[in-house]
Structures are given as C-alpha cells and as structure tokens.
Amino acid sequence: MIRLRCPHCGLRDHSEFTFLGDATVSRPGTEAAGDLARGGAWSDYLYLRRNPRGVQEEFWHHGRGCRAWLVVTRNTETHEVLDTRLARDRGDRA
Amino acid sequence: MKAYSAWSVFRHALTGNRHWPRAWRDPEPKAGYDVVIVGGGGHGLATAYYLASVHGIRKVAVLEKSYIGSGNTGRNTTIVRSNYEQNANARFYEFSLKLWEDLSLELNYNTMFSQRGVLDVAQSEGMVERYIRRGNAMRLNGIDAEFLSPAEVRSMLPGIYEDSACRYPIHGGLYQPRAGNARHDAVAWGFARAADSLGVDIIQGCEVTGFLQEGERIAGVRTNRGDIRAGRTGLAVAGSTGHVAGLAGLRLPIESHVLQAFVTEPVKPVIDTVLTFELADFYISQSDRGSLVFGGELDRYSSYAQRGNLPIVHDVLEAAVTMFPMLGRVRMLRHWGGVCDMTPDGSPIIGASPIEGLYLNCGWCYGGFKATPGSGWMFAHTLATGAPHAVNAPFALDRFERGYTINENGAGPFFNLH
Ligand SMILES: Cc1cc2nc3c(=O)[nH]c(=O)nc-3n(C[C@H](O)[C@H](O)[C@H](O)COP(=O)(O)OP(=O)(O)OC[C@H]3O[C@@H](n4cnc5c(N)ncnc54)[C@H](O)[C@@H]3O)c2cc1C
Ligand SMILES: [Zn+2]
C-alpha cells in the first residue's frame, strides 16, 4: 500500500484516493480553444505526458476523505512519496 | 537452422536430449545495421522476423537490455482475440489472429496456440445490448461472433455461481470461437529462432541509453555495449516507451501503469475457454498445465515498478471466488506485475515518430500479446517502406491532434481508464 500524508487527514492508504496524473501539465485558457494542431496547447494538455521513470509531480484526489485535490511528488520506479501538499496552495494552475 | 520435427524429437530423446543445438546465436553487436529494433519482446522479434522474411532486409539487430521475453511478453495472460467493435481495431487484430492460426508452422516452433474461444459474460441487460452490437460489428468485419443464451453460458461453465448467490445474474455472453491463448515464451523464442536463422542479430544484455543524433535525424543508438548506427531505428519497448522516447527528447501520449496477474496451483481441467467478467473487472483461463491464470484492473497510478499493490490483489481474489465459489480452497502459486504503455484512447501507436529515422511501436496497453504477429508484420512494413500499411495507418501518432482517436470503450482521454 502506498500511503499519502493528506495535509487535512494525515497518513492515509492510497485506496482512499483517485489518481489523476501528471501535475505539470496545465490546462490552457479559452483563447486556445479549437487549437489542436501539433504543439497546440490543448492537444499537449490532453494527450502528451513526460511519463518519467523517476520523480513525478501528480494530482491525487482524496475522494474517500476530505475531498481535497493534492499535488504528490512521488517516484514512479520505487513508489516512494517525497512530498504531499494541497493543490490549492500551489495557486498557479490546475 | 535445423528444422524441428517429430524425427528430431525422437532422435534427441535417444541421446538423452543432450545434443540439441542452440536455438539462436549470441552475436557481438556490429558497428551498424539497416534497421535496429530496440526491445526484444515478442513485438521487436516479430518485426525483425518479418523484415527479413517478407522484405528481405537481413542486416537487422534486436537489442534487448535483459533477456528476450523478459518484459510483458513473459508476464502476460496470453489471451488472443479479435472481438473489437471499432473498424480499425477489428481489422488489425483480425489480421493478427489470422497470422496466429498458421504461426507454429510458419516458425517451425510450437507456440501452443489453442483456439479454445473467448467468452465475454454479460451480467446486465445493458451489457447484452452492447455485446450484441459488438458481435454484429465483428460479423460485418468478417469476424466470428456468437451471442449465447444464459443457459448456453451455464452449460459451458459448470463451476460458475448460482444466480441467486450473486447480485449480477447471467444474461448471456458474446463468444468468439476462434480466439484462445498461446504459450507466451514460445512466441518470443519461436520468432527469435526464425529471425536468427535469416541472419538477424539478437543481442541480449544490451541496453539503449541514448540516440545518435545527426542534425535533425536519429542515426542509431548509444548502448552499454557501444554505439550502433542504424538506417532506421524502431522502438518496441512497451512499458519503457516513455523513458526511452524521453532519451530522444520526445513526449508521447503514453503513461506507464502496472497491471498484475495471478496463477494458482495446477488443478484438474475445470475451465476450457477464456472468460471475461467486465462488470467484476475479472478474467480467467486455465493453462495447459492446469493452473488457473487470472487478472483484473490496473493499479491505476502511474508506475515503472514491475510489481503491484494489495488492494488489487484483494479485488481480484474477491471476484475470483464470487464468480467461481469452488476456487475458495485453491492455493495461489504467485502473482506479479508488468508495466503497460497506456494511451489516452486505449489503442496502440505504430508508425513514424516526429523525428526522422525513428519509428514507434508502442501504446499496447494491456492487450498487445494478441497483436504480436500483426504488430511485427505492420511495423516491418512501415520500417521497410518508410510508410504505413493500410491496416496500421489509422494507428499513427498524429491521430490524437487530428481528432481521430480509436476509442474502443468510449472513456475520455484518461490513461488509466482504458
Ligand atoms: C499482467 C499482464 C497481463 C496481460 N495480458 C494480456 C493478454 O491476456 N492478452 C494480450 O493480448 N495482452 C496482454 N498483456 C499485454 C502484453 O503483454 C503486451 O502488450 C505485449 O506483450 C507487449 O509486447 P512487446 O514486445 O511490445 O513488449 P515487451 O515484451 O515488454 O518487450 C519490451 C522489451 O524491451 C526491453 N527494453 C526496455 N527498455 C530497453 C532499453 N532501453 N534497451 C533495450 N531494451 C529495452 C524490455 O526489457 C523488454 O524485454 C498483458 C500485460 C500484462 C502486464
Ligand atoms: Zn484528506
């Protein structure tokens, strides 16, 4: 079991959370609407991933807990969790 | 290559099976090849075989970081089928299934392909409608499909749960008689031996650590055993695609996820077909040795670890004893995980990459074993001619930005939901 330290709920089993994926992709604004061409912001956001073998920042949702969105820094090869924080506190993007 | 035959089996038995020749050579890498394939799983080996046999391109190397078949080829549950609804998938997987039907003869190697059928059990009325629709789509593509009544399903499965004991009564099933399974290792070994006999170098213990860039082109690979030049370089590294493509600076529509599988101690024959229970995220078959082989869902978080987590073990075993209460006393032998290259539409990518000289065979999710001969055939065609075959053209990388995704189950662009 991977355990994530939710800032609200403490150390919890990963089965309480839902994984969304890479937290370094950012959702484009409406001005990019319709732009799906190569390198286009929406196509990048929807489909392209760094998919690193190693440390990745990723979104997890504490659906069976406080329902907050978290940004978890985790190693995809060892499953070691390096950091957990509220996505809200990042402020910039989501 | 000395062909295997009933006579050779008999002759070697007389001498205690001590004099069988090596099945393939163990060559040192050369300075360069016409084509270098990265990844010695079934797909890479099949590609090399068809490059040599169909296209006469024999200066080919397959580079494998570990031993051949050590990736998902040797970790999968070996279901071979073509029961797809989308035209592109149906045509491609049926092409592959036809190759399976003659594969043992073609390779002079027993792949133990057994057409014992695949039965998708419908456990709700909505599933009945979906399965009939998929069956009709299959038939329109010339693929065998039959819809079975609840009584027919029950008569095939003596050990299955009673309707009264389960929340989900059996409503019927979609059956593909020509589907089945095969011996996974034998597929890698058979292709390796046949490719080697045509002059392909299979180089094990050779890890690609980077690419030789010449201007905008990729002109070969860097490995732990030196640089190797290549006219064209093909990636067939399944779960490692994100990492290896990253070495060339590419970001792809792929996220790596772990899928687990399970096997029990051998028991007498109880299940003579391949069964899927979509509602329970569970599927099962029985190997020729008698072990029950089964599995379920992805662990659902991205991972490059070839091992899974306990919540899935719990879910899968729970489904196993619910569908087949008789399994409650059977002992587990082992379970393991493999890293799957998941795409956002659940379909593979076979074709050119945005970088000249580099070609991609990836995105097999958890369904690429059945594709092995078809994928090799199509990738060889693409590498030999520089352009895709009509059957693999829909699986081009740019389908995502063009809006032509091939989304069999209709889930959105989420890698872990396919
Ligand atoms: C548990 C499980 C069950 C499955 N069940 C089924 C099933 O029932 N039916 C089905 O059709 N499919 C199934 N699949 C999917 C199927 O196993 C794969 O899609 C298929 O085997 C992929 O074959 P491949 O040759 O592309 O990859 P692999 O067999 O994984 O080969 C890739 C090879 O590349 C090598 N490699 C990686 N990086 C490098 C490098 N840098 N340099 C050199 N070599 C490298 C690896 O060592 C590996 O041997 C399952 C998968 C899993 C994990
Ligand atoms: Zn919480």
Side-chain angles (χ1 to χ4, degrees):
Chain A
M1 190 75 80
I2 299 174
R3 307 191 86 194
L4 302 177
R5 189 175 299 283
C6 173
H8 294 143
C9 314
L11 199 60
R12 314 294 303 177
D13 288 351
H14 84 265
S15 51
E16 289 185 6
F17 299 80
T18 309
F19 174 85
L20 180 68
D22 190 338
T24 64
V25 294
S26 43
R27 189 187 175 99
T30 43
E31 66 284 359
D35 161 26
L36 272 175
R38 170 164 297 149
W42 273 97
S43 145
D44 271 21
Y45 165 69
L46 285 173
Y47 302 122
L48 296 190
R49 295 296 178 266
R50 287 189 310 125
N51 195 18
R53 189 176 78 190
V55 176
Q56 161 166 280
E57 272 183 36
E58 51 201 24
F59 286 122
W60 291 74
H61 183 231
H62 199 185
R64 276 162 225 128
C66 63
R67 302 209 198 157
W69 279 98
L70 308 182
V71 175
V72 176
T73 310
R74 190 179 62 100
N75 186 316
T76 59
E77 204 174 6
T78 62
H79 297 172
E80 187 189 359
V81 177
L82 303 166
D83 185 47
T84 318
R85 60 186 65 199
L86 292 175
R88 198 179 55 200
D89 290 350
R90 221 168 52 150
D92 52 356
R93 52 182 192 258
Chain B
M1 174 179 88
K2 281 251 171 45
Y4 295 147
S5 63
W7 166 242
S8 69
V9 171
F10 175 71
R11 197 162 45 88
H12 283 286
L14 290 181
T15 52
N17 286 317
R18 273 169 291 131
H19 305 292
W20 287 102
R22 283 189 75 99
W24 55 86
R25 296 164 297 129
D26 183 21
E28 284 299 316
K30 299 196 180 80
Y33 295 88
D34 291 342
V35 179
V36 163
I37 313 277
V38 187
H43 290 217
L45 295 163
T47 305
Y49 170 72
Y50 292 116
L51 275 170
S53 68
V54 176
H55 302 279
I57 300 178
R58 297 179 176 212
K59 286 190 198 140
V60 175
V62 178
L63 312 181
E64 166 54 49
K65 72 173 176 187
S66 173
Y67 58 90
I68 60 169
S70 58
N72 288 353
T73 298
R75 292 165 183 269
N76 84 96
T77 46
T78 77
I79 304 172
V80 175
R81 58 188 174 86
S82 61
N83 54 0
Y84 283 83
E85 182 168 318
Q86 300 287 316
N87 285 335
N89 280 333
R91 282 173 201 151
F92 170 69
Y93 288 107
E94 177 61 14
F95 180 91
S96 192
L97 180 54
K98 291 213 171 95
L99 291 176
W100 276 106
E101 288 177 319
D102 296 324
L103 198 59
S104 294
L105 276 178
E106 164 93 17
L107 300 179
N108 178 235
Y109 203 97
N110 187 2
T111 62
M112 297 170 73
F113 180 50
S114 156
Q115 290 176 293
R116 59 186 67 185
V118 167
L119 175 59
D120 298 326
V121 181
Q123 292 173 291
S124 76
E125 282 174 15
M127 288 172 84
V128 170
E129 285 176 17
R130 271 202 300 119
Y131 284 2
I132 289 178
R133 183 173 120 139
R134 175 151 57 91
N136 285 337
M138 288 166 63
R139 285 178 167 229
L140 287 173
N141 276 310
I143 301 169
D144 56 322
E146 290 167 30
F147 193 80
L148 306 185
S149 69
E152 286 170 313
V153 171
R154 287 198 169 279
S155 74
M156 284 173 70
L157 306 174
I160 198 151
Y161 65 92
E162 295 297 327
D163 278 348
S164 59
C166 182
R167 208 160 133 197
Y168 302 108
I170 287 175
H171 286 262
L174 181 62
Y175 187 52
Q176 185 185 15
R178 284 164 58 247
N181 43 26
R183 168 89 201 273
H184 49 15
D185 294 325
V187 176
W189 298 337
F191 273 118
R193 174 168 166 274
D196 173 271
S197 77
L198 296 174
V200 170
D201 281 357
I202 293 163
I203 303 164
Q204 305 184 71
C206 183
E207 176 167 6
V208 168
T209 54
F211 292 89
L212 303 175
Q213 313 250 5
E214 264 171 21
E216 300 289 286
R217 275 198 80 252
I218 278 185
V221 293
R222 299 189 179 285
T223 79
N224 59 339
R225 294 171 67 173
D227 293 354
I228 304 175
R229 297 187 57 81
R232 287 185 172 141
T233 304
L235 293 191
V237 293
S240 298
T241 301
H243 173 70
V244 179
L247 300 173
L250 269 187
R251 272 191 316 154
L252 294 175
I254 288 187
E255 200 172 81
S256 294
H257 282 267
V258 66
L259 182 72
Q260 305 190 51
F262 305 78
V263 60
T264 69
E265 62 186 339
V267 293
K268 288 190 174 168
V270 281
I271 295 174
D272 64 358
T273 182
V274 179
L275 295 170
T276 76
F277 297 89
E278 203 185 333
L279 212 57
D281 287 331
F282 177 69
Y283 65 96
I284 185 166
S285 65
Q286 187 166 21
S287 76
D288 290 344
R289 200 167 45 155
S291 296
L292 293 159
V293 181
F294 52 86
E297 259 297 325
L298 292 175
D299 275 43
R300 288 239 162 104
Y301 48 81
S302 61
S303 173
Y304 278 90
Q306 288 176 315
R307 66 192 146 78
N309 231 311
L310 288 172
I312 291 291
V313 175
H314 181 273
D315 289 356
V316 170
L317 296 183
E318 192 173 60
V321 295
T322 309
M323 301 305 133
F324 290 97
M326 65 181 178
L327 298 186
R329 310 279 294 273
V330 177
R331 278 169 299 195
M332 296 300 305
L333 216 54
R334 53 181 189 277
H335 76 109
W336 63 91
V339 181
C340 297
D341 34 341
M342 302 300 298
T343 57
D345 65 353
S347 296
I349 297 162
I350 321 171
S353 83
I355 305 178
E356 202 194 321
L358 185 67
Y359 291 78
L360 302 172
N361 174 316
C362 57
W364 293 102
C365 300
Y366 38 74
F369 178 70
K370 62 172 133 18
T372 304
S375 154
W377 208 98
M378 293 301 157
F379 201 35
H381 180 98
T382 308
L383 284 163
T385 64
H389 186 278
V391 171
N392 71 307
F395 297 97
L397 175 64
D398 67 2
R399 70 173 182 269
F400 295 99
E401 64 198 43
R402 289 188 300 115
Y404 285 89
T405 53
I406 307 169
N407 195 330
E408 190 73 20
N409 67 1
F414 300 100
F415 301 80
N416 55 354
L417 295 189
H418 288 279

